[in-house]
Amino acid sequence: MRLMHIVWMKRTNVVLDGELLEKARRMSGERTYSATVTKALEAAVKRGELEAAIQKVRAGGDPFAPGYVEAMWPDLSRPTSPE
């Protein structure tokens, strides 16, 4: 059985600061400008997802497994009265 992995790429033209692009390429260790831009986009998306998760936690949500603690340990979810 032969597995195929399809990668969807988009060709586009963008105007970039040449010095900044070269500095980013050197710092990232990438060999091509395309790989440098891809790596920067991946980092930006990851940072955005992390910021969204932090905001959700701050708002009181459970981004990992909503209801898990209550289902597994119901005694922990009930408020305790001081003795």
Side-chain angles (χ1 to χ4, degrees):
M1 176 189 267
R2 194 167 187 195
L3 297 176
M4 292 181 64
H5 180 72
I6 298 172
V7 177
W8 184 72
M9 304 292 279
K10 174 144 178 62
R11 181 173 289 275
T12 186
N13 292 322
V14 294
V15 178
L16 302 170
D17 180 323
E19 290 178 12
L20 184 60
L21 180 59
E22 181 58 29
K23 185 176 181 179
R25 188 196 62 77
R26 284 194 312 269
M27 291 180 74
S28 70
E30 296 295 340
R31 291 178 27 176
T32 65
Y33 293 140
S34 181
T36 302
V37 171
T38 298
K39 193 172 199 175
L41 290 171
E42 289 169 348
V45 168
K46 191 179 289 187
R47 184 174 49 249
E49 290 172 342
L50 178 59
E51 289 173 0
I54 290 170
Q55 290 302 320
K56 188 173 182 179
V57 169
R58 285 184 179 156
D62 183 357
F64 303 106
Y68 176 76
V69 172
E70 294 80 5
M72 295 302 293
W73 298 283
D75 295 335
L76 294 178
S77 62
R78 286 190 224 128
T80 58
S81 59
E83 297 182 71

